Amino acid sequence: MPLGFSIKGKANKTHSPSPRHLPNKPQETKIAQENSTISFLESEARHRTHFSSIPLVTLESRSQQIPVIPPRPRTPGELLSELIQSELTRPQTLMEQATINLAPRISDADTSILQGEPPSHNAMSLPVHVHTNPETTMPTEPSTLPEFHPLSEEDFIGHIKTILAHHDDDLRITKPPFIFEMNDEAATHNTEILRAHNFNFQAVLESQTSTPIGVGSEFRKPNLLEPLLCRHPLWNCLKEMLTNGATLPLDEISDEDRKIDIKFHRKRGNHKSCVTQCDLVRTLLFDDVFHGFSLPLQINCVTEIPRASLAPLGVQFQKSVDETGQTVPKYRITHDQTYQGPTGLSVNIRTQKDKLPPCVYGRMLLRLTHYIVDIRAKHPGKRILLGKYDLKAAYRRAHLSGPSIAECLTIFENRLYASLRFTFGGTPFPYLWSVHSEILGDLANDLIQCDAWDHNTLKSPLQDLLPKPLRLDSDEPFATAKPMAVTMPQNDKGIVDVYLDDLPPVCVDIGDNAERCAAAVPLALHILGRPVERNEPIPRDELLSIKKTLGEGQMAETRIVLGWFFNTRSLTIALPKEKFTIWTQDLDNHATMRTVDVEKLDTTMGRLNHVGLLLPPSRHFLSRLRSLVAFSKRKNRRWVRLPKSVKDDIIHFKDLLTITINGISMNNIIFREPTHVYRSDASSHGMGGYNLANGDAWRFPLPADILQIVTLNTLEFLGCVITLWIDILHGRTPPESCILSQTDSTSADGWLYKSNFDPSAAKTQLIVARKLASIIIKADCCLYSQWFPGSVWYKNLESAHRDRLLADLSFAHCSQLAAVTEQTTDKNKRAWRRWTAYLTDVGLGQDPFLTGLSRAERHRILSAFAQAVRSARFSAARFDILTAGVVKATISDVAATFRAHDREDPRLDADGEVAFLLQRQMRGYVNSDPGEVPQQALCSEVLEKLHNLASSHLDKCISSLLITGYFFAMRSCEYCSVHGTRRTKIIRLKGIRFFLGKRLLPHNSPILHKATSVTLLFEYQKNDSRNETVTAHKTYHHFMCPVLQLAAIVRRLIAMPHSTEDTPINAYMEPGSTKLQHIKSDVILRKLRLAVSIIGKDELGFGPEEVGLHSLRSGAAMSMYLQGIPVYVIMLLGRWSSDAFLRYIRRNVQEFSKGVSQKMIASPLYFTVPSADLEDPRAPNHRLNLSQRVNCGRNADTAPAVATRIALWA
């Protein structure tokens, strides 16, 4: 049997089981009680909060047909076995081929534990590139390895024996010149050695190849391992790290930024957890120094080390086990390489995650669970044994390269410490360490599958120290495994899975399976790791943690793995009692305290989200807590008060923890065949559903008073829940049932398995989701993941990729909707209604996108429609003809609808230009239209007149707004209410700030009117500019002053009852009234025109009909221009992003051209410089200048080189 690396078990092909045949038609229906099915909505309607969630990854299988009612849903056997195999199985062979698919084993939830985001699947940017999916990724460099052939079992064992028998002359036992002690003498000595190498850590490493300081000293030499491991897709990465050390892919920063951050960290010091526990930190750091993991140096040399970075130290509390299996406290020193200095450029921030190798340490719980259930199904009366192996100081076994050491410096007790190995707290290290652990796990799996391996002779020196498998006689019956929706690869010998430094073996207790699985991991470690010598110059431990192995490594039916208590006999996973006690105590503290530490609350949320691994519906109850934590982090709050709704959720989770401590059946965690299948549907008028097995059905017409209140997707969601709820209420779903509730709404289907609702915006959906969770958990059932097939390209994507795409598309659609205002949307809809009405009139209403017509024919139809719009056929009777601008905008809106539906723009020709036919038609309309009459610019005299005429409270408010708008060149929608929705936001009270010199005055200051300047915050403008501030200074006019008018506005606003900092500046109350009103644009326009009419056309040159709300902004620009204010100042004060403000400069203002005529005659004579002599053949474009003509124009790429044969000039 040939062997080869099969990281994801590619050699074993899986097939979906034959699905159960479901009836094609439902039986006669029975009507359920309609009113009771949605009563729970009222009881939970009061809950409000915010929510954010990470999309859940769904697994699928290869497509199979199933005879059910169309539209065809996903069926029990249709989970993607290919992906299940990659996600749920460990390898069975070692070197079958040189390059193998390597699917990631990481989920979004896993990454939060290890300070990183999910990695992309790009190759690692090391000198030798590794490609994780050769079927879809082209190599960036050709492989330098020869063509390899599959190994036989004998060759595989032969390579291992060669490695173990090899005795290297260089055993890394030379004593390094450094002193690894925590004192000033050692720091001084080490600094001098480093100074001799110009503070170049890489040079130091290269000089220490025969000492434990040298790179790769914890492992055997790469040239010895290569014949065995060269076929592994991660071997080149590991080889590079064993040869040169791990180089962190970081964005480069300037030396100046580094100096700023180093100065900051030296002054700030370490974290509080380190400062308050100095003795503990000293002990932990001593252990690192003692084993040569950290090098003490003088603190002042940090400024001499090239590309140095400092990180603060912290202490993390954990728990471990001793050799007796007892839980003991454990503390770990951490390097917080996320903590930012003034530049914000910490190591973790600068990490280029796309250039790291794939981080494949996630989903181990899911894989183990599926393997255990599959083994139980095949061997219902046999024990299943589970063990656990831990590596001793795993991260400290991997060396950093010289440049990366400089990036991992810390300070403690006035000494500098350089980390020579991986640190705890750096984003790249889980990615880089997974290269080591993956190869280690795959090697152990190959040993288990190799029949030629005799575990009694070819073994680790530590094997005899390991405890024997524990086989206890018990009367407890073996739990029954439920049918899975996928077929697992045939493997009765056992597997070893990997989660960073944890390697749990699991097997069915047949023959010597348990002994072989227990021996595989220690032997794999012995093969890869350099043996510990008696005369090691620096104390060194075995790679395998002996203490933990003695305490929890014994193969048994019950074992704690990844913090969960596995019982393979009862097929349950439970929360350990110790964790239950600690977690419930924390929940009690949160529920009773008035305020809670946000960090602790975030930790609690992470724990509860972890519970969702066993109880997926429980995550529906995390919405409010997650929203509160996210909000507190955005506001940089350390403490937060818990609202009653969040406290209720915390108390509810105590009950859920009680369920988990009693154990959750693995049958409810795996991907199962459904035992109950339901169908439901909804419309805007009602909803209904039925049971496919017995035909029971229900329907519920919506009352007239709630029509159009709830979205259709919400009704679809509610229908799914009600349909399955009816059967649960009737006791037809026994424990461990797998429920498939189908609908034709992908949104509703997704909501069954995850919540991504904002409770303040999607209250109804969240209530339904929470009720669903309660129903499923109480019934001890699980939901079957199902969806409808999409288009071909969509369906062929891997489920993890597709789910990320779906989530991104969903949020992208929301962003697309937010890109336009309601007014723009209404315009598009109105234009489309006119378009479809016109097509119906001409007999083309059945094809609104004109898919059956050619491009030229579409242009003609569009031309005819433009003429219909021009003639006001779809407008009110008062319109005879519409202008070219209106027609063009209507055509543009119709084209936008085409593009929104992925159709070609009907206006464009083959060259991507607007069709000549339409261009000429629009030009004809423009030529026929009367000229546009611009709104005239208002001078300050009009505002003074308006102020003097103000008698009522409303008039004075309007005058203040207009004078303010004049000085800030404001748009009308920035100081008053206008018709329709606008992107531009009105100025609010919190956006007004007064300064007396440099001192900020509060709004209630009695000297507000004496401020020297006032600043306005423009939050959102039509040109997408946000949070711009503009300052105006005090004038010496007794009322034409921005400070005086804004002071009056602020005092008016704060005097109104119930006013807040969000109150807009156009809010007002009539004296004696309690009704809040807002000044509207049409009221302001009437007042403006009244003032203009009083002044008169003789004085102003225009009448009131020529004045609009744009006149104020135009007048501001004109006044600044006439006073010689530079153009760029006008643009900045008026917030014009281009020279568009020139449209507001009115040429017909008399003072505009004052003095221009006189200046034009100031230079009566000027000399014109003659042009160059074009008869010189060397001149460009001369007919004899062949060198320039050959490579120009249309023949530039194909013209042959032409050389001049005769020189006609010297």
Side-chain angles (χ1 to χ4, degrees):
M1 170 183 174
L3 278 120
F5 261 130
S6 178
I7 303 303
K8 295 297 180 183
K10 187 175 180 180
N12 296 315
K13 296 189 178 295
T14 62
H15 305 280
S16 299
S18 300
R20 298 178 181 179
H21 291 277
L22 302 176
N24 289 328
K25 298 182 180 179
Q27 300 176 9
E28 294 298 321
T29 61
K30 294 189 295 183
I31 305 301
Q33 293 294 328
E34 299 173 346
N35 294 330
S36 62
T37 54
I38 58 172
S39 59
F40 67 90
L41 290 173
E42 300 177 358
S43 64
E44 294 198 35
R46 66 184 182 275
H47 299 302
R48 295 173 179 269
T49 185
H50 294 281
F51 180 79
S52 62
S53 180
I54 300 175
L56 182 67
V57 175
T58 309
L59 300 180
E60 60 175 345
S61 75
R62 296 175 181 174
S63 301
Q64 282 194 350
Q65 297 293 332
I66 182 169
V68 294
I69 301 173
R72 189 180 69 80
R74 302 296 290 187
T75 59
E78 288 186 305
L79 293 174
L80 182 62
S81 55
E82 178 181 327
L83 183 57
I84 286 289
Q85 181 177 346
S86 68
E87 287 288 346
L88 306 180
T89 63
R90 291 294 304 172
Q92 298 182 13
T93 57
L94 185 63
M95 292 173 213
E96 187 173 4
Q97 52 189 5
T99 53
I100 300 293
N101 284 346
L102 185 64
R105 303 190 193 120
I106 184 169
S107 68
D108 293 332
D110 296 327
T111 57
S112 62
I113 304 172
L114 293 158
Q115 303 182 19
E117 298 177 0
S120 64
H121 302 275
N122 297 336
M124 182 181 180
S125 64
L126 291 173
V128 180
H129 292 269
V130 174
H131 302 282
T132 61
N133 194 341
E135 295 180 359
T136 58
T137 306
M138 294 299 293
T140 56
E141 289 185 9
S143 175
T144 58
L145 297 175
E147 182 180 356
F148 292 103
H149 301 284
L151 288 175
S152 65
E153 290 188 346
E154 292 73 17
D155 291 339
F156 173 62
I157 297 299
H159 282 312
I160 293 175
K161 289 181 177 179
T162 300
I163 293 172
L164 299 183
H166 181 78
H167 186 275
D168 199 341
D169 295 334
D170 176 14
L171 292 177
R172 305 289 183 117
I173 58 176
T174 304
K175 184 177 180 180
F178 295 102
I179 300 177
F180 289 95
E181 297 177 4
M182 291 181 62
N183 53 53
D184 293 338
E185 179 184 353
T188 302
H189 174 81
N190 296 337
T191 302
E192 291 303 319
I193 297 177
L194 188 61
R195 180 175 284 109
H197 290 84
N198 296 323
F199 294 95
N200 187 328
F201 282 109
Q202 189 63 37
V204 172
L205 295 178
E206 292 172 357
S207 67
Q208 302 296 314
T209 55
S210 62
T211 75
I213 302 300
V215 172
S217 63
E218 298 285 347
F219 298 89
R220 297 183 189 265
K221 289 192 173 181
N223 59 349
L224 184 62
L225 298 174
E226 188 159 23
L228 177 68
L229 303 179
C230 59
R231 292 163 180 82
H232 196 289
L234 294 177
W235 165 245
N236 285 337
C237 280
L238 180 61
K239 180 180 178 181
E240 170 66 21
M241 286 189 279
L242 295 183
T243 304
N244 299 314
T247 299
L248 309 184
L250 304 176
D251 292 329
E252 190 53 61
I253 61 175
S254 66
D255 292 339
E256 186 62 31
D257 285 339
R258 291 183 185 274
K259 292 178 181 178
I260 292 173
D261 282 347
I262 289 174
K263 182 179 180 181
F264 168 80
H265 286 299
R266 289 187 65 175
K267 183 177 180 180
R268 178 190 179 275
N270 295 314
H271 288 324
K272 185 178 180 181
S273 61
C274 176
V275 175
T276 58
Q277 305 178 86
C278 285
D279 292 340
L280 175 61
V281 175
R282 191 178 299 109
T283 301
L284 296 173
L285 193 56
F286 172 81
D287 190 62
D288 274 1
V289 173
F290 181 71
H291 287 89
F293 303 153
S294 188
L295 181 67
L297 300 165
Q298 289 180 332
I299 189 172
N300 292 331
C301 76
V302 67
T303 58
E304 301 181 61
I305 297 174
R307 299 183 177 182
S309 293
L310 280 177
L313 289 176
V315 177
Q316 183 180 6
F317 172 74
Q318 296 177 323
K319 292 188 176 180
S320 183
V321 295
D322 57 18
E323 59 274 12
T324 64
Q326 300 298 315
T327 302
V328 294
K330 175 184 177 181
Y331 296 91
R332 172 173 287 170
I333 194 167
T334 61
H335 295 61
D336 189 355
Q337 292 177 281
T338 299
Y339 194 84
Q340 302 174 17
T343 67
L345 299 173
S346 64
V347 168
N348 289 351
I349 295 296
R350 294 187 284 122
T351 298
Q352 301 172 5
K353 298 186 184 68
D354 59 329
K355 294 184 179 180
L356 289 166
C359 196
V360 288
Y361 57 80
R363 301 224 172 253
M364 190 180 86
L365 181 72
L366 195 61
R367 289 193 300 272
L368 280 181
T369 304
H370 278 77
Y371 182 75
I372 291 171
V373 174
D374 180 63
I375 290 296
R376 173 53 46 81
K378 295 173 181 176
H379 304 279
K382 298 293 183 180
R383 298 185 185 91
I384 300 174
L385 302 182
L386 181 67
K388 182 184 177 184
Y389 289 104
D390 278 336
L391 303 188
K392 176 73 172 179
Y395 274 21
R396 302 306 203 216
R397 306 306 181 125
H399 282 79
L400 292 170
S401 66
S404 297
I405 293 175
E407 298 279 5
C408 300
L409 305 177
T410 57
I411 293 177
F412 181 72
E413 292 186 338
N414 208 34
R415 279 190 289 272
L416 182 70
Y417 291 88
S419 296
L420 306 179
R421 314 288 178 92
F422 286 8
T423 68
F424 297 101
T427 295
F429 299 122
Y431 298 78
L432 297 173
W433 176 254
S434 69
V435 174
H436 301 71
S437 58
E438 278 298 305
I439 292 180
L440 177 62
D442 293 329
L443 180 57
N445 275 290
D446 278 358
L447 287 168
I448 293 173
Q449 301 303 319
C450 181
D451 293 331
W453 175 45
D454 182 358
H455 66 282
N456 292 314
T457 58
L458 186 60
K459 61 183 182 180
S460 164
L462 303 177
Q463 181 169 320
D464 295 335
L465 301 177
L466 305 180
K468 302 300 181 182
L470 180 63
R471 299 178 174 92
L472 297 178
D473 294 330
S474 175
D475 295 332
E476 181 183 356
F478 293 102
T480 302
K482 302 295 183 180
M484 289 195 293
V486 293
T487 300
M488 298 289 290
Q490 182 65 32
N491 180 7
D492 292 339
K493 296 181 179 180
I495 63 169
V496 173
D497 215 310
V498 176
Y499 185 90
L500 288 180
D501 60 342
D502 289 350
L503 294 98
V506 59
C507 66
V508 59
D509 191 15
I510 299 176
D512 59 355
N513 278 358
E515 288 75 10
R516 286 171 60 86
C517 284
V521 173
L523 179 56
L525 284 169
H526 184 52
I527 294 171
L528 295 183
R530 181 173 67 86
V532 177
E533 302 294 331
R534 293 182 179 179
N535 56 342
E536 292 279 353
I538 297 178
R540 181 167 167 264
D541 297 321
E542 294 283 354
L543 284 175
L544 181 66
S545 176
I546 304 298
K547 184 182 296 186
K548 283 190 176 182
T549 301
L550 295 176
E552 59 181 359
Q554 187 178 32
M555 299 286 288
E557 289 185 273
T558 59
R559 186 60 58 210
I560 294 179
V561 178
L562 292 182
W564 294 102
F565 183 79
F566 279 70
N567 187 328
T568 60
R569 181 175 287 259
S570 63
L571 291 185
T572 58
I573 305 177
L575 184 69
K577 292 183 179 179
E578 187 176 34
K579 276 191 174 182
F580 173 80
T581 302
I582 296 175
W583 290 12
T584 51
Q585 286 177 353
D586 288 345
L587 292 179
D588 286 335
N589 292 336
H590 294 338
T592 56
M593 295 174 64
R594 295 184 60 186
T595 57
V596 180
D597 187 294
V598 174
E599 265 190 41
K600 293 182 179 179
L601 197 63
D602 192 23
T603 300
T604 298
M605 187 184 69
R607 291 171 175 173
L608 300 182
N609 189 58
H610 202 46
V611 174
L613 293 173
L614 306 187
L615 282 176
S618 67
R619 287 177 172 145
H620 288 301
F621 296 104
L622 278 178
S623 305
R624 298 165 181 156
L625 180 59
R626 185 181 290 109
S627 171
L628 183 63
V629 171
F631 175 80
S632 302
K633 287 184 175 181
R634 287 197 304 269
K635 298 295 184 180
N636 293 321
R637 294 180 179 175
R638 183 177 177 185
W639 297 87
V640 64
R641 185 186 299 273
L642 298 185
K644 185 179 183 302
S645 59
V646 175
K647 289 186 176 181
D648 291 341
D649 287 347
I650 289 176
I651 294 173
H652 181 67
F653 253 102
K654 285 184 59 181
D655 299 333
L656 298 181
L657 290 183
T658 304
I659 296 175
T660 60
I661 196 175
N662 295 327
I664 302 296
S665 172
M666 296 184 190
N667 288 320
N668 283 342
I669 301 174
I670 61 173
F671 296 98
R672 293 260 308 280
E673 288 188 3
T675 58
H676 298 72
V677 183
Y678 308 97
R679 288 245 176 92
S680 61
D681 201 356
S683 70
S684 57
H685 298 282
M687 51 189 171
Y690 60 93
N691 185 327
L692 266 71
N694 57 27
D696 287 355
W698 66 276
R699 69 176 181 178
F700 181 76
L702 296 178
D705 57 340
I706 66 171
L707 291 177
Q708 307 298 329
I709 294 179
V710 182
T711 64
L712 183 58
N713 280 337
T714 303
L715 294 176
E716 298 270 13
F717 183 32
L718 183 58
C720 290
V721 176
I722 292 174
T723 306
L724 64 90
W725 192 12
I726 291 173
D727 254 23
I728 292 177
L729 289 175
H730 284 82
R732 299 171 186 156
T733 53
E736 298 188 8
S737 295
C738 183
I739 297 173
L740 170 58
S741 187
Q742 299 176 320
T743 178
D744 60 356
S745 168
T746 54
S747 296
D749 180 72
W751 293 344
L752 290 171
Y753 314 106
K754 65 175 183 289
S755 284
N756 55 355
F757 309 117
D758 180 350
S760 62
K763 179 173 59 179
T764 305
Q765 292 96 319
L766 181 59
I767 293 173
V768 177
R770 291 164 63 88
K771 187 63 180 180
L772 169 67
S774 298
I775 294 169
I776 296 298
I777 293 174
K778 185 176 180 181
D780 191 20
C781 299
C782 65
L783 291 173
Y784 174 88
S785 296
Q786 162 272 335
W787 65 94
F788 290 101
S791 60
V792 174
W793 73 272
Y794 200 77
K795 184 169 57 177
N796 291 339
L797 293 177
E798 291 186 5
S799 63
H801 299 162
R802 185 184 57 256
D803 287 347
R804 291 191 184 100
L805 176 63
L806 277 174
D808 291 339
L809 286 176
S810 176
F811 287 113
H813 180 64
C814 295
S815 299
Q816 291 158 12
L817 294 178
V820 295
T821 64
E822 182 180 350
Q823 188 176 12
T824 302
T825 303
D826 291 342
K827 286 172 56 182
N828 288 341
K829 291 180 178 179
R830 183 168 59 250
W832 189 252
R833 285 196 303 268
R834 293 175 175 177
W835 169 252
T836 53
Y838 178 76
L839 292 180
T840 301
D841 288 346
V842 298
L844 297 174
Q846 75 282 0
D847 186 13
F849 293 108
L850 306 180
T851 54
L853 303 182
S854 66
R855 179 183 282 111
E857 291 169 337
R858 288 198 296 269
H859 293 163
R860 282 176 167 75
I861 296 297
L862 205 59
S863 173
F865 171 66
Q867 184 58 41
V869 174
R870 170 75 167 178
S871 59
R873 190 178 304 177
F874 309 102
S875 304
R878 66 179 184 272
F879 295 102
D880 295 327
I881 189 170
L882 300 183
T883 64
V886 174
V887 177
K888 189 174 182 180
T890 303
I891 298 297
S892 178
D893 290 335
V894 170
T897 305
F898 269 73
R899 296 196 304 272
H901 289 79
D902 296 325
R903 306 303 176 99
E904 183 181 347
D905 191 326
R907 300 171 299 175
L908 304 184
D909 58 18
D911 296 326
E913 302 290 341
V914 175
F916 180 73
L917 176 72
L918 296 175
Q919 289 187 41
R920 176 162 288 187
Q921 186 174 352
M922 295 302 156
R923 172 56 58 186
Y925 292 161
V926 171
N927 293 339
S928 301
D929 285 345
E932 181 182 356
V933 179
Q935 296 179 11
Q936 301 299 333
L938 284 181
C939 55
S940 60
E941 177 66 23
V942 177
L943 301 179
E944 293 184 26
K945 176 62 70 174
L946 188 63
H947 180 271
N948 294 330
L949 293 174
S951 56
S952 66
H953 178 64
L954 176 59
D955 291 344
K956 294 177 181 179
C957 293
I958 291 175
S959 176
S960 295
L961 289 177
L962 287 173
I963 295 175
T964 299
Y966 175 76
F967 281 107
F968 287 90
M970 294 168 67
R971 303 175 180 93
S972 58
C973 52
E974 293 171 338
Y975 61 86
C976 65
S977 300
V978 297
H979 297 291
T981 58
R982 302 290 179 90
R983 180 176 294 138
T984 305
K985 304 301 181 185
I986 196 170
I987 300 297
R988 294 185 286 176
L989 183 59
K990 67 180 181 181
I992 308 173
R993 292 181 297 166
F994 294 86
F995 292 89
L996 183 60
K998 296 182 179 180
R999 180 163 62 97
L1000 178 65
L1001 299 179
H1003 284 169
N1004 59 358
S1005 172
I1007 59 171
L1008 203 61
H1009 60 285
K1010 295 184 179 181
T1012 54
S1013 64
V1014 61
T1015 298
L1016 293 187
L1017 173 65
F1018 294 88
E1019 297 181 57
Y1020 202 156
Q1021 302 173 67
K1022 62 181 294 184
N1023 57 7
D1024 287 334
S1025 297
R1026 300 193 182 193
N1027 299 326
E1028 287 194 5
T1029 57
V1030 178
T1031 300
H1033 291 261
K1034 183 171 184 162
T1035 69
Y1036 296 97
H1037 197 280
H1038 59 286
F1039 65 83
M1040 287 296 294
C1041 173
V1043 172
L1044 294 179
Q1045 297 302 331
L1046 279 169
I1049 291 174
V1050 168
R1051 286 170 176 165
R1052 182 187 80 240
L1053 295 179
I1054 63 177
M1056 295 188 304
H1058 310 301
S1059 66
T1060 66
E1061 61 179 11
D1062 291 324
T1063 302
I1065 61 174
N1066 67 325
Y1068 81 102
M1069 285 183 180
E1070 290 289 352
S1073 173
T1074 58
K1075 181 181 179 181
L1076 181 66
Q1077 302 182 62
H1078 295 88
I1079 302 174
K1080 297 182 178 180
S1081 59
D1082 51 357
V1083 177
I1084 292 180
L1085 182 57
R1086 287 199 300 269
K1087 297 295 182 181
L1088 270 180
R1089 289 178 173 174
L1090 175 62
V1092 170
S1093 63
I1094 292 176
I1095 297 175
K1097 189 172 184 177
D1098 294 340
E1099 186 71 22
L1100 296 174
F1102 55 84
E1105 70 282 355
E1106 299 177 76
V1107 173
L1109 292 178
H1110 280 294
S1111 297
L1112 187 70
R1113 187 164 163 84
S1114 177
M1118 194 74 214
S1119 297
M1120 287 188 280
Y1121 181 81
L1122 293 177
Q1123 295 304 315
I1125 295 176
V1127 169
Y1128 66 88
V1129 176
I1130 300 176
M1131 292 175 62
L1132 292 175
L1133 292 179
R1135 292 157 287 117
W1136 283 286
S1137 57
S1138 66
D1139 58 1
F1141 83 98
L1142 294 175
R1143 295 172 49 244
Y1144 292 89
I1145 305 298
R1146 300 294 180 241
R1147 292 186 296 270
N1148 57 344
V1149 173
Q1150 191 177 58
E1151 288 77 8
F1152 174 77
S1153 59
K1154 184 177 181 180
V1156 174
S1157 301
Q1158 183 63 38
K1159 291 180 180 179
M1160 292 176 66
I1161 63 174
S1163 299
L1165 177 65
Y1166 37 80
F1167 175 75
T1168 302
V1169 178
S1171 302
D1173 184 7
L1174 296 181
E1175 291 304 315
D1176 188 342
R1178 291 168 294 185
N1181 299 322
H1182 193 277
R1183 58 189 177 84
L1184 296 179
N1185 192 341
L1186 301 181
S1187 61
Q1188 292 217 358
R1189 294 178 59 190
V1190 167
N1191 296 319
C1192 300
R1194 300 171 62 181
N1195 299 323
D1197 296 332
T1198 58
V1202 177
T1204 304
R1205 296 184 178 180
I1206 301 175
L1208 302 180
W1209 60 89

